[in-house]
DNA sequence: CTGAAAGCGCTTACAG
DNA sequence: CTGAAAGCGCTTACAG
């Protein structure tokens, strides 16, 4: 690998001038610029990022901290990561995925090594130990998600209110009046303070009340098997249900299959609408699920860009909330009662 | 952050001695050691990995190159990554995930920056452009998977022969005599030279012949939807089939659901046995699938360890092939014909 | 617009 | 067993 000194020698300039050109940090005369660029091309020069990092005290590496123990890493998460990595690359940063625990211990360990300029925090808890670690060490960070205390914290998140409102409105407009929310299992220690589960539950209670709907919430863990059980519970305890909203994507697959196993047609007897899912997972179900599509690509990108602005001292982006959007599939239809009674118009 | 110089000052030694102790690279007197360790503890010292990297010309960072465009990143892949990251950490390395294209262009770009000591290659093609790039740049690497040309290349892979042999034997012993392999779509440019698809196909043809079974192969892409179509094709063109082996995990979900949609009971009418799947995905199906479990955790670890030995100049690990192992679920049973005719013993 | 030089925080021959 | 010093390949005041 050629070094900057070799480029400078070949171009007949000093190493400083090469650096100025490369970083666009001081003006360089056109003729000089041409000679340097020629020399770089001739030598196939690529700047050594390690040396740059040491000299500038900026590694240009961003870590995406993902609690792989507590949360499955699936297609949904991959979307966040891939879009974040892409956004980082566009701004001359590397984004690396760090599987670190929720408690902040590993994170502190890693931060001490000075490898990263900043951290994108995934799967944020309402009161997140990692935030404390990041603040103590003075590490810039952005959250994809939100703690309860937010003052001064850079973040982006799903707009749960709009997501739930749109989902409920869609079902309501089709004529559904008896909904069930399959919510998270808040007894599970991984989730009792997990933002999305809490916020979706809160939003649902409020919005269902606005529509004067009876509020029925079934708790359910984040597995297909748990979804089966939730389906059984719905059929047994809430036989009049015409539509089911499901928070977790794995549970949603289970609810659908579970309803079918119990002889219910989806969407003939019951509609199923997952609140946070990606098309790939929706396609795993039969019928293919109608979903509120997780805005992973947008949020991965926005979160990373927010952090980078922070790192570069630019004016911070305002916190952004992005709703999941309805993507039609085959699991939502009009309720039988509506077709019979003519509710829902059109 | 404390620096090594500060530690040295506090312990009353030279910076070199601290370094020798930290790297265990020269003997240090017990008393000196105690003083240094005390100083490090007092200051909460953590070695700066960037400075270490520049001085030693070793970053201790390993990149896992994953072609995110060409291959979905799902739960299966996450297993490889997580176990590889864990193995790396145990040996004092960082493993970072790099989404880079199959053609080697991005890889070359990234390697030039000098950020990584070595690369773990995922989703290897039979003739992989990335291997050329790695060789040209002199970058140490290990493959999880195999090119056709293998001389001198560090690699680990799935033992497709044993996997297919065990799967076929299991079905054969249960009494199945009419099998179908749902194979990859080799017309798909992403896959026509993709090792696993080619090798499983080859192994199946050989092993089925050994069992004197008729060889039926249905091509199918890597989506649930494609699996539905494969199911239809099986029912239509191969009505006597009693068991289906499926290469791709998404396709396997689709085959199962597709058979059910066509009124077939799984496993009553047909058994379904995916050849490469993780339990999480198997649980998404109803009934839960019996699978050959992808040895992701073993291979991620072995591949990383092979690379690290290479990096440290230790005797190389021999190439290792690890078979997928049968994990019982509810999608494989005896064929109706066997129960009727008493084939299959016991 | 360009250059000489200090310095980032370590590792590593070399010397003792 | 320990230390003085060069050097890794850059960036960045400072000076001109």
């Amino acid at each position: 690998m050629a070094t900057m000194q070799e480029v400078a020698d070949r171009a007949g300039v000093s190493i400083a001038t090469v650096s100025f050109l490369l970083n666009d940090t001081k003006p360089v005369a056109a003729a000089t610029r041409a000679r340097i660029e020629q020399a770089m091309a001739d030598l196939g020069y690529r700047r050594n990022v390690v040396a740059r990092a040491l000299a500038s005290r900026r590694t240009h590496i961003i870590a995406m901290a993902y609690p792989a123990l507590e949360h499955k890493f699936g297609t949904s998460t991959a979307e966040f990561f891939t879009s974040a990595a892409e956004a980082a690359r566009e701004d001359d940063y590397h984004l690396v995925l760090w599987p670190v625990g929720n408690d902040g211990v590993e994170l502190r360990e890693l931060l001490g090594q000075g490898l990263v300029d900043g951290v994108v925090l995934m799967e944020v808890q309402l009161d997140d130990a990692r935030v404390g670690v990041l603040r103590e060490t003075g590490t810039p960070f952005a959250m994809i998600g939100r703690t309860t205390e937010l003052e001064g914290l850079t973040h982006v998140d799903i707009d749960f209110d709009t997501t739930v409102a749109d989902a409920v409105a869609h079902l309501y407009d089709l004529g559904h009046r008896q909904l069930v929310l399959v919510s998270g299992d808040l007894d599970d220690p991984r989730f009792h303070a997990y933002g999305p589960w809490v916020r979706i539950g809160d939003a649902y209670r409020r919005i269902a009340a606005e529509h004067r709907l009876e509020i029925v919430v079934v708790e359910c863990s984040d597995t297909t098997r748990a979804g089966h059980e939730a389906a059984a519970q719905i059929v047994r305890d809430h036989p009049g249900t015409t539509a089911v909203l499901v928070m977790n994507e794995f549970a949603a697959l289970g609810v659908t299959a579970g309803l079918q196993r119990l002889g219910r047609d989806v969407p003939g007897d019951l509609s199923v609408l997952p609140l946070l899912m990606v098309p790939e997972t929706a396609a795993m179900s039969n019928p293919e699920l109608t979903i509120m599509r997780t805005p992973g690509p947008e949020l991965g990108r926005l979160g990373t860009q927010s952090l980078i602005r922070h790192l570069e001292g630019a004016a911070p982006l305002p916190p952004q909330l992005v709703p999941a959007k309805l993507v039609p599939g085959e699991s939502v239809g009009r309720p039988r009662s509506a077709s019979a009674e003519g509710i829902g118009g059109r």
Side-chain angles (χ1 to χ4, degrees), chain A:
Chain A
M1 280 288 112
T3 121
M4 190 177 275
Q5 186 63 62
E6 292 170 344
V7 172
D9 291 349
R10 178 176 256 262
V13 297
S14 84
I15 181 182
T17 305
V18 178
S19 179
F20 297 149
L21 173 62
L22 223 39
N23 294 308
D24 195 23
T25 166
K26 289 202 185 177
V28 173
T32 312
R33 163 189 299 269
R35 288 210 314 284
I36 295 175
E37 282 172 348
Q38 185 58 247
M40 292 200 296
D42 293 348
L43 296 170
Y45 174 72
R46 307 239 62 226
R47 173 169 46 181
N48 182 303
V49 299
V50 175
R52 166 155 89 138
L54 184 59
S56 67
R57 257 138 302 180
R58 303 279 306 281
T59 64
H60 277 240
I61 298 176
I62 294 171
M64 176 172 269
Y66 191 82
L69 252 66
E70 292 87 353
H71 296 261
K72 299 181 201 171
F73 192 101
T75 312
S76 302
T77 319
E79 282 196 344
F80 283 91
F81 172 68
T82 309
S83 61
E86 198 180 5
R89 199 174 299 188
E90 288 167 12
D91 285 340
D92 191 25
Y93 281 80
H94 280 285
L95 186 124
V96 306
L97 186 63
W98 267 6
V100 296
N102 249 338
D103 55 11
V105 174
E106 283 172 301
L107 185 62
R108 169 175 274 120
E109 189 77 8
L110 286 163
L111 289 175
Q113 304 185 168
L115 189 60
V116 305
D117 289 344
V119 171
V120 174
L121 221 50
M122 291 281 293
E123 307 294 9
V124 177
Q125 308 279 81
L126 292 179
D127 180 13
D128 200 303
R130 296 172 300 173
V131 170
V133 171
L134 288 161
R135 278 176 153 156
E136 279 173 40
T137 57
T139 311
F141 67 101
M143 301 186 288
I144 297 182
R146 279 171 286 168
T147 47
T148 304
E149 289 296 328
L150 271 178
E151 343 90 18
L153 297 188
T154 304
H155 69 277
V156 299
D157 200 357
I158 296 168
D159 181 345
F160 297 104
D161 287 347
T162 303
T163 300
V164 173
D166 289 354
V168 170
H170 181 65
L171 295 172
Y172 193 92
D173 290 348
L174 285 170
H176 293 277
R177 294 296 179 269
Q178 302 225 42
L179 311 188
V180 167
L181 172 69
V182 176
S183 156
D185 174 8
L186 296 182
D187 292 338
D188 185 328
R190 294 173 303 156
F191 290 120
H192 78 279
Y194 180 48
W197 294 31
V198 173
R199 293 199 176 90
I200 285 182
D202 292 350
Y204 181 72
R205 278 172 245 272
R206 186 172 52 68
I207 289 159
E210 286 172 13
H211 284 270
R212 304 184 179 284
L213 298 171
E214 188 190 357
I215 294 169
V216 181
V217 177
V218 170
E219 291 204 358
C220 177
S221 188
D222 61 332
T223 65
T224 311
R225 189 169 291 277
H228 286 169
E229 288 158 23
Q233 193 177 332
I234 290 168
V235 167
R236 185 182 65 233
D237 299 344
H238 312 287
T241 305
T242 63
V244 185
L245 296 159
V246 191
M247 193 178 282
N248 178 267
E249 57 181 346
F250 302 103
L253 293 173
V255 166
T256 308
L259 289 172
Q260 292 168 330
R261 178 186 286 198
L262 294 166
R264 300 304 187 278
D265 183 62
V266 176
D269 297 317
L270 289 102
S271 291
V272 176
L273 179 54
L275 290 170
L276 293 175
M277 195 181 264
V278 295
E280 287 83 350
T281 308
M284 287 183 189
S285 194
N286 177 20
E288 186 160 332
L289 297 173
T290 298
I291 59 172
M292 302 302 291
R293 194 215 190 288
T294 307
E298 295 90 327
L299 290 179
R301 169 167 292 276
L302 285 171
T304 304
Q305 290 173 337
S306 299
L307 174 60
I308 290 175
R309 293 184 73 125
H310 188 170
L311 290 172
E312 314 227 306
L317 289 177
Q320 298 200 44
L321 300 183
V322 182
K325 295 206 184 66
L326 185 79
V327 174
E330 305 162 345
S331 67
V332 170
R334 306 169 72 93
R336 289 211 198 286
S337 51
S339 8
E341 301 165 22
I343 305 181
R346 271 193 261 187

